Each structure stands twice: as structure tokens, then as C-alpha cells.
Amino acid sequence: MTRPVGQALGRRSDFGRELRLLAAFSALRFGELAALQRRDIDLEARTVSVRRSYAETRTDGMTVKAPKSAAGVRTVAFPASLVPELAHHLAEHAEAGRTGLVFVGARGGVLRRNNFRRIWLRALDATGLGDVHFHDLRHTGNTLAATGGATTRELMHRMGHSSVRAALIYQHLVNGRDHQIADYVDGQIKKVKRPPRDSSGT
């Protein structure tokens, strides 16, 4: 894979582009993204608020509910680069009104995982990413946050987790680069290191 997943899947003039970008750079779950309303997006503050999530079951069909835990209710900042993308999407594609859905299906209905799968597969084919799952975008966002120096508590907040376990996995993943960093520094030292003096002192 030659490009970051979020970058590769952010092709212009592409249905679902803003959904994928927000998934990659805010690490929201699919159900949380599908349930976002206009009032949840603050372009000036560059934040998205998670208050509800869509879930689909065989018995109940599509239902909207509160996140699984209190930690799931959260406000997450997103990169400034996404502001014009989201502003355009809200103006052209989102439902009207403060409670209108930000992301809707191709025919204007609630965004469903099964229907979105066709769009997702087309995006993968167009970018040559191969076997990548939508949930991998959340993994990308969490990894980027950890690489940026997010603390365990900050990672837990962005991920919507009440347990430290998942946050520590991402921090450990980033910390595993420590020897790579040291090797790079060693290479820089060797470039400027003077040869040792001989016994005569020359």
C-alpha cells in the first residue's frame, strides 16, 4: 500500500468522499457517522459531536440509539483541511434543517452498511487498495492520533472507549518505532562522525 488509506480513499467528485475522510481523520464508527445531524458538525470549531448511533438488526431493522457507554458521547476535533470538504457536502448533499442527516444513502434514505458496501468496493477498486475494510479507517485515525502524541486519556476520548486497553494498543504500536527512530539518528551521527585518532594523535 503506497498511500495512506484516508488519502487514497479521498478522491474528488466521489460519492461518499466526505464520509470516508471524516471516518479516517476523526475515527468515528460507521453507525455514528450514519446518525450525524447537521447540528453535530461545527465547522468554525472544527468539531463533530457524537450523540447517537444507527444500528441494524434482523429483528428491529434500523434503529437509532445512544452510544453503548457514556464515553461514546463525545466531541472530537477534526483537521482544518476537512472544513471546505464538509462545508461543500453540507451545502449540497446533507438533509435540510438542524436535525437533518449529514450523510444519506445514494437515494436519499438512511445510510445503511449493506448499501454502502457497493460504494466502498468501487472506491477500493478505483484506488487499488485491495482488501481494506471500512473499519480500517477508524484504525487509521487512531494510529494518527497516537503518532501525534495523544495521551491514553485523549485516545480513549477520541475513540469513545471507557477502557484503556484499546488506547494502549495504539500507543504500543507507535512506541514500537522507537528503535527505528534511534537507528535513523544513528545514521545521522555517522554522517558527521570524525574518524578515530591513531596512536600518534593525528
Side-chain angles (χ1 to χ4, degrees):
M1 191 179 300
T2 57
R3 290 174 292 170
V5 173
Q7 176 186 342
L9 290 175
R11 297 170 63 89
R12 194 167 296 280
S13 301
D14 179 7
F15 180 80
R17 168 185 168 84
E18 292 80 9
L19 174 75
R20 297 192 302 265
L21 289 174
L22 196 58
F25 300 122
S26 68
L28 268 62
R29 302 173 178 90
F30 183 87
E32 294 170 342
L33 291 160
L36 286 179
Q37 299 176 352
R38 280 180 175 270
R39 60 180 174 174
D40 299 323
I41 304 287
D42 189 330
L43 296 177
E44 184 175 349
R46 294 187 292 109
T47 60
V48 54
S49 296
V50 179
R51 299 185 176 97
R52 68 199 74 78
S53 178
Y54 266 113
E56 185 171 8
T57 63
R58 292 182 178 179
T59 55
D60 300 326
M62 291 291 292
T63 58
V64 62
K65 58 181 183 179
K68 293 180 179 179
S69 67
V73 179
R74 63 201 187 279
T75 298
V76 179
F78 55 79
S81 299
L82 267 63
V83 172
E85 302 275 357
L86 290 173
H88 173 76
H89 178 85
L90 289 170
E92 299 294 331
H93 304 295
E95 289 183 339
R98 294 186 69 249
T99 59
L101 292 175
V102 174
F103 301 110
V104 295
R107 298 182 180 179
V110 174
L111 193 65
R112 304 169 77 102
R113 190 179 297 272
N114 287 342
N115 292 340
F116 183 75
R117 177 171 170 76
R118 293 192 296 270
I119 301 165
W120 176 252
L121 292 177
R122 286 200 298 268
L124 292 182
D125 184 63
T127 53
L129 284 176
D131 187 21
V132 177
H133 301 283
F134 186 86
H135 194 75
D136 292 333
L137 296 181
R138 177 168 161 82
H139 174 72
T140 296
N142 292 334
T143 301
L144 288 171
T147 303
T151 65
T152 302
R153 180 59 62 181
E154 289 166 339
L155 280 172
M156 289 170 61
H157 171 76
R158 290 186 68 85
M159 296 164 66
H161 281 209
S162 55
S163 167
V164 302
R165 182 175 177 274
L168 290 176
I169 290 174
Y170 286 102
Q171 287 187 321
H172 178 72
L173 177 67
V174 174
N175 291 338
R177 296 182 59 245
D178 199 35
H179 278 85
Q180 296 177 26
I181 296 169
D183 290 342
Y184 171 80
V185 174
D186 189 51
Q188 301 307 303
I189 294 171
K190 290 177 179 177
K191 287 182 180 179
V192 297
K193 189 175 182 181
R194 297 177 180 178
R197 296 184 178 183
D198 57 26
S199 58
S200 63
T202 59

